[in-house]
Structure formats: structure tokens, C-alpha cells
Amino acid sequence: MRIIKYGNPILRMKAKPVDIQSDGIHSLTEQMFVTMREDGGIGLAAPQVAVSQSFFVIDMSLINDGGEPTAIINPQIVDTKGESTVEEGCLSIPDIREDVIRPETIRVRYQDINGNNYDREIDGLEARVFQHEIDHLNGVLFIDRIGPMKRKLLQKKLKQIAEEESQYL
Ligand code: NI
């Protein structure tokens, strides 16, 4: 699968809720696990592979011993606590990393690939990845969450990425 880049309008769309029974989700998530691994990401949202549906994959082996690549479906953040600053990057915005301030702890509801429901409080790196990927499902990118001055300094790089991406549109 090709990861679409900044400038592709699909990254700005709000993803549609997933029906686990009917949307070919099993095959899509398997392909996304492979793409995430190949590109060295810890998370990958469906819109990044041009699928505007509300799910993402996360490589839990990079978070917990014994964790595995996991699909997180129809996630909703229902509560947040605290604040932390962490440097983020994104496979759709290559070669740019910036500090992003987000809540430290979130309570999140979602489904897994078998339709089981979860309601969990998470923090640390896992909460960070969830928030970054859930942003993707809402058409939001991490560069939207940095200060206007910093973003201004990135304009040239971003324009370059968008120009390269335009050949695929
Ligand atoms: Ni990203």
C-alpha cells in the first residue's frame, strides 16, 4: 500500500464509521500492518492509505512486551486529563518532527477486529499514538497543533511535499 502524503485531500476528510461485518476490514488491516512495519511507523490510520474509514493500526509490540499489531476501530475519546509535550512525526509528512502538546491521559472507547467493545483509560506513548491517529480520522494533522510561528517556518518543506504528492492526484 502507498502512504499518501500532505497535500492529498483525503487526509483532510472526516473518516466514516466502520461496519466490521461488511467493509473488508480484516484484509485492509493485515495490509496496513505490513505497510506500517515497512515504513517504520508505530501507528497508521486508514486515511493515510486512502481509505476514509474510522480505524487505525498500532504496533503494540513497541509499547508493551508481548504486544502485537492491533486494529483500533471506531475510536472515540470520551475524557482527557493532564498535559504532556512530546516530539511527533507522521509517515504522511516525511522529515518533519515537532513538539506537540496533548493531554497525558485519555479515556477511549473503541472496537477490535472481532467487534469486542473496549472502554479504557490509557496514558504515555499509547495515549500519544491514539490521539495522533484519531486526529487523522478527523482530518487533523499534528502540524495543525503547533504554534503559528513554527508552522510558518515549515511552509517551504510542506509545499515541497504537497508538490510531490500532486503527481498522484
Ligand atoms: Ni500521522
Side-chain angles (χ1 to χ4, degrees), residues 32 43-51 53 55-57 133-134 136-137:
M32 285 169 65
L44 181 66
Q48 294 181 273
V49 292
V51 175
Q53 293 185 33
F55 69 97
F56 65 87
V57 295
E133 303 308 334
I134 291 169
H136 275 300
L137 306 180

Side-chain angles (χ1 to χ4, degrees), residues 43 45 48 89-93 132-133 136 141-142:
Q48 294 181 273
C90 179
L91 295 174
S92 292
I93 314 175
H132 178 113
E133 303 308 334
H136 275 300
L141 302 171
F142 81 93

Side-chain angles (χ1 to χ4, degrees), residues 4-5 35 37 48 50 57 63 74 81 121 132 156:
I4 63 172
K5 303 295 190 309
T35 306
R37 276 268 159 85
Q48 294 181 273
V57 295
I63 292 167
N74 297 323
K81 263 190 286 189
E121 191 170 273
H132 178 113
K156 203 174 156 193

Side-chain angles (χ1 to χ4, degrees), residues 52-79:
S52 192
Q53 293 185 33
S54 185
F55 69 97
F56 65 87
V57 295
I58 177 170
D59 188 353
M60 290 300 294
S61 75
L62 300 175
I63 292 167
N64 297 322
D65 282 343
E68 292 178 351
T70 304
I72 306 294
I73 298 164
N74 297 323
Q76 297 284 347
I77 294 172
V78 294
D79 200 9

Side-chain angles (χ1 to χ4, degrees), residues 71-72 108-120:
I72 306 294
V108 66
R109 295 191 183 130
Y110 60 91
Q111 294 170 286
D112 69 12
I113 196 79
N114 299 312
N116 300 308
N117 292 298
Y118 295 80
D119 183 336
R120 296 175 57 216

